[in-house]
Every structure is written in structure tokens, then in C-alpha cells.
Amino acid sequence: MHSAFVQMDGVKRSLHVQLAREIARKILSGEVAQNEIIPGEMTLCEQFKVSRTSLREAIKLLTSKGLLESKPKVGTRVTGRENWNFLDSQLLDWLIDIGDNEAVYRDFLSLRNALEPEAAALAAMNATAQQRIQLSATFQRMDDISKDFNVETWTEADLEFHRLIFLSTGNSFYLPFANVLCTMFKSFITHSSIQGSTCINEHRAIYSAIMAGDSDKARQANIDLLSKSKRRLPNSTK
Amino acid sequence: MHSAFVQMDGVKRSLHVQLAREIARKILSGEVAQNEIIPGEMTLCEQFKVSRTSLREAIKLLTSKGLLESKPKVGTRVTGRENWNFLDSQLLDWLIDIGDNEAVYRDFLSLRNALEPEAAALAAMNATAQQRIQLSATFQRMDDISKDFNVETWTEADLEFHRLIFLSTGNSFYLPFANVLCTMFKSFITHSSIQGSTCINEHRAIYSAIMAGDSDKARQANIDLLSKSKRRLPNSTK
DNA sequence: GAATAGTATTTGTAATACTATTCTGAGCTA
DNA sequence: TAGCTCAGAATAGTATTACAAATACTATTC
């Protein structure tokens, strides 16, 4: 391998990340089974035509996300599915890349159902002054776009709105969802399936409640939004 | 460095994992600020007395969890807090190790509030036959222990019960919470603060509803359990 | 003064050698 | 025969060195 970096998907990626992606695909797609021992390092080096250094960095990356597990003498084993960290946005990106995203979208919607109302309630209580300013600016943009609708700008503003709510909860455990949300949205966009309706009134209700510091109203408004947008999808809870 | 593995916390860890832990501590504790550029690889090698190979593996581990970001010539930068993956159980382990866990416990309880009722509802619908068998066995153990109480065995069974619910949702995004829950429980145990009460009746209600496939009842029963145990803690929503 | 080319510094990749761990199995012991 | 101990082999872990690629910075030129 002569060039260390390769153009791919429009962005430059280091070699070990590309490698990790390839291996992750095989694991996530089930091409290599769970609890299976993958070939030894030297074998994989020859197979992928990379140095052991890079291969190991790729394996370490996957290990860190719970996909692999290495031990001397025994080898590197694919772990059980219950150990994959599905809330890692990079892993999610790989997962989406496989295609067959019906189940992924459905499961994610189910998670949003559980989380977003509570996140909105927390944001109403804990959002900082700066976060409230950002939320205001974003909602203003949504409001403008809803009057002169444009799919692209709307999608971006909508994403930013819900992302800010997660970031404004004041709860560290909600932060990762902001990135996961971004990854899912990007996939929604490229795979179309965006709805035209903006639900601007429902969004306004959430926004107002958060700004007013009314957590109960924020929670309920978010529930309303979800139940309204849910009706336009196949069926969210399976 | 002569010995590759070192006894630590009772378990053997590879060098790069120990290194990652040390660096993670500095980041999570705020000893090194966000967006700060950390010293170059060679400098850190000398500082920690390790090879560049191991140091890089440590950095890659932290990068994978969103704590660091490297670019040629510019160096390795600590990312913003909104990129830490707090739902990674290894990262959580490091975080707990720092101490000052008041906020962590509170935030985690808040997350459980949002998630567990929905998880119970999903489990009622989607648990497989085998998962129902495991849940039965675990609840049976809880029931026995509640009559002849013992803190250790109870805690273990209680953990297993709630863990199984997450695993039985049939939703990939809920799986990581099973591991996060384990990590938190382990911390609860070592730092005491375990309550005596078992809430066996509330647990029984959840169990029965799941076995009966009644998702609404399962959700409500889980809400009841949380509201009851919440009252015994300082204040959960801040 | 601005654009361009060159240079230096830092991370990325490669290749090799050696170490630590642990599975396997042979051989010994009870 | 069953079980234990120890040696060896296989594999991941660590170290060292060398070079490549990327980019911030500097100098040169127009």
C-alpha cells in the first residue's frame, strides 16, 4: 500500500479507520459470526495488505467499541451482540452503511420516544443562558423556514433544535444522543424519506415551555410532537 | 518498562489500557482542559516511559471514545465534552474512579427514569422464550432472597433482573444500557449506599406484566418502582 | 503586499525483533 | 486411571527504528 490516505466518501480517512470499517461491516452484517475467532494478525495483514501496526490499531478501535476481544495465544474473538456499543455514532454509521435500515430506524424512533420528552423536561430546568440563546436562534430559523418551506434548510434546523435540547439537559448521559441523532439524520437525508410537514406549532410549544422553565409542559409538548409524527410512519413500536 | 502486564485493581491490564486510563483521568477530571493540545507523542513517551507503539494505542482508544482527536502536524487535541461517549461502560468506569460521584449517580438515576419504563414495555412485547425463562429464574431468586434477606445476593439478583429487561427489549439501542447498569451497580456496591428495602411487590408487578405480555402494565409498574425508590434518595431531578 | 514554493514538525505507516501470556499435551505422580 | 506439573508452542503485547504523508509556518518572488 503506497498512499497512506485514500479519498473515500469525500473525506480523507486514515488507513486503520478504513480497515476498522471493513472489519466492522463483516461483524455487523453477520458475515463473521458472534463468538467466532477471527484469523490471526499476520493472516489478516496479508489479507488486507497492511502492516501489523495499522491492523492492530484497527482491532483496538473495534475492541474499544465492544466488537472484539483479544487474548494472547487464543486470538481475537468477536464478542456477543449485547456488547456492541450501539450508542456510538461511529458504529452507528457503519451499521447504517450496511443498508437494511428498516429495523434501525424503527428502534431509534422507539428510543427517541422514551428519551426526548424527558430531555425536554430537563432542558427546561437546566439550560444555561447561552443554550437558551442558541435555542431561540434555532427556533427562529425554523419558524422562518416553515413559512417559506425548503426541505434541506428545514431538516438542518430541525436537527439542530433537537440536538440542542439534548445538550441543554445538564445531564452528561444525554450528551451522546446529540451525536447519535446527527448520524441518523444524515442517513435520513441521503436515503430520502423526509416528510414535508414541519409540525411548527408542536415545536413552538416545546420551545416556549423550555424558555419558560416549565418542565412538565415541555415533556408533554414533546410527547405530542412524537405522537403526531409517529402517525406518518409504518408503526414505531413494532 | 520491563514487565508488559502489571497487577492493578486485582485484574491484569495491558499497558496501553493502563495508559489510556491515566490520560482519561486527567481529561475527565479537568486537569487538562477541553480543546487543549496535549504534548506530542515523543514527549509523552518519555513522560510515561513507554514505547510510541503503546502510547499510540492508548491515544487511539481514547480517540475512539471521543475524548481525543489527532491530526498530523497540529497534534492531539482534547475534544469538547459533548463528544465524550458517556454511555461507554469503560469510560464510565474511569469517570467513577475519579470520585465525586454525586452528580454521576443523580444523572444516571434520571436516565433510568426515562428509559426503564419504556424498556419494560418493550420487553413485555419482544422478550424471547429463552429470555422469559431467564427472567423467571432471576425473579424467583429475588423472591427467595427477599424472604431471607442478604444484601450481596439481593444486589446481584436485582442487577440481573433489570439487566435482563434491557436485553429483552429486542431493540439494539437499549443493549448498551445493560452494561452501563452493571458498571454503575459495581460502583454502588463498593461505595456502599445500598438500601435495605427490596420493593419485591413492585418487582413482582413488573415481572408479571412482562410475562403476560402486557406492555402498558409493565411500563406503569416500572414507573411505580422508580417513584418508590426515588423517595429514599436526596432528590433525583436536581 | 499577496501569492507561491519550500521547509520543518508532527502524526501515520511499515518492518522487525523480542517478550508475556496461556493453551496444549506429554510425562510424572498418587 | 485420574490428576497434577512442567515444558513447549502459538499468539497477542511491547519496543525500536525508519520512512511517508500532511499541514502549519517561513521565505522567496513577483
Side-chain angles (χ1 to χ4, degrees), chain A residues 163-182:
Chain A
R163 198 180 82 91
L164 279 173
I165 291 177
F166 279 126
L167 296 182
S168 303
T169 55
N171 183 329
S172 302
F173 292 108
Y174 281 84
L175 297 181
F177 296 111
N179 287 326
V180 169
L181 193 69
C182 287

Side-chain angles (χ1 to χ4, degrees), chain A residues 28 34 65 80-88 91-92 95 100-111 177 180 184 238, chain B residues 87 115 122 126 131 165-179:
Chain A
L28 294 172
Q34 299 175 42
K65 301 196 185 303
R81 198 164 185 278
E82 69 274 11
N83 294 299
W84 308 170
N85 190 353
F86 285 95
L87 296 171
D88 180 288
L91 191 154
L92 194 51
L95 188 67
D100 186 32
N101 294 339
E102 204 67 25
V104 177
Y105 291 161
R106 171 167 42 75
D107 286 356
F108 182 64
L109 199 64
S110 168
L111 186 71
F177 296 111
V180 169
M184 292 299 285
K238 173 157 190 176
Chain B
L87 296 171
L115 280 175
L122 288 171
N126 303 323
Q131 286 165 339
I165 292 178
F166 280 126
L167 296 183
S168 303
T169 54
N171 183 328
S172 301
F173 293 108
Y174 281 83
L175 297 181
F177 296 111
N179 287 325

Side-chain angles (χ1 to χ4, degrees), chain A:
Chain A
M1 179 127 311
H2 200 241
S3 66
F5 288 80
V6 177
Q7 201 77 13
M8 198 173 169
D9 294 333
V11 297
K12 290 179 181 180
R13 289 196 214 289
S14 59
L15 184 52
H16 76 268
V17 175
Q18 297 176 60
L19 254 181
R21 187 189 192 84
E22 283 191 58
I23 299 173
R25 276 183 69 100
K26 296 189 187 218
I27 295 174
L28 294 172
S29 71
E31 188 178 328
V32 307
Q34 299 175 42
N35 295 91
E36 187 178 315
I37 300 267
I38 68 176
E41 293 181 344
M42 295 314 274
T43 311
L44 291 172
C45 286
E46 291 169 18
Q47 187 176 326
F48 288 112
K49 305 264 197 293
V50 297
S51 72
R52 205 177 148 218
T53 308
S54 290
L55 179 81
R56 280 180 59 80
E57 287 189 350
I59 289 178
K60 287 288 173 271
L61 178 56
L62 297 176
T63 302
S64 158
K65 301 196 185 303
L67 296 182
L68 294 176
E69 210 172 34
S70 297
K71 269 200 301 188
K73 170 67 185 181
V74 51
T76 300
R77 178 189 303 277
V78 178
T79 59
R81 198 164 185 278
E82 69 274 11
N83 294 299
W84 308 170
N85 190 353
F86 285 95
L87 296 171
D88 180 288
S89 50
Q90 193 173 18
L91 191 154
L92 194 51
D93 201 45
W94 298 332
L95 188 67
I96 290 170
D97 223 46
I98 294 176
D100 186 32
N101 294 339
E102 204 67 25
V104 177
Y105 291 161
R106 171 167 42 75
D107 286 356
F108 182 64
L109 199 64
S110 168
L111 186 71
R112 285 187 75 177
N113 262 310
L115 280 175
E116 294 202 330
E118 206 54 36
L122 288 171
M125 288 193 295
N126 301 324
T128 65
Q130 199 194 337
Q131 286 165 340
R132 284 165 199 277
I133 292 172
Q134 292 179 321
L135 200 65
S136 290
T138 303
F139 178 74
Q140 189 59 54
R141 214 162 78 238
M142 293 172 80
D143 204 16
D144 293 343
I145 298 167
S146 74
K147 287 163 190 161
D148 179 18
F149 188 70
N150 173 291
V151 185
E152 276 183 38
T153 53
W154 167 262
T155 306
E156 194 215 345
D158 187 32
L159 165 61
E160 182 66 8
F161 183 78
H162 292 289
R163 198 180 82 91
L164 279 173
I165 291 177
F166 279 126
L167 296 182
S168 303
T169 55
N171 183 329
S172 302
F173 292 108
Y174 281 84
L175 297 181
F177 296 111
N179 287 326
V180 169
L181 193 69
C182 287
T183 303
M184 292 299 285
F185 258 70
K186 261 177 255 167
S187 160
F188 279 135
I189 294 169
T190 55
H191 298 69
S192 69
S193 87
I194 300 278
Q195 301 114 15
S197 168
T198 60
C199 302
I200 188 66
N201 288 328
E202 284 74 11
H203 278 99
R204 189 191 314 280
I206 297 173
Y207 166 70
S208 302
I210 290 177
M211 295 307 275
D214 189 333
S215 62
D216 288 331
K217 201 179 281 183
R219 183 184 359 248
Q220 189 56 50
N222 211 135
I223 291 173
D224 294 341
L225 170 64
L226 287 166
S227 74
K228 183 165 182 189
S229 51
K230 192 195 301 188
R231 279 192 227 105
R232 288 201 308 281
L233 291 172
N235 51 350
S236 62
T237 45
K238 173 157 190 176

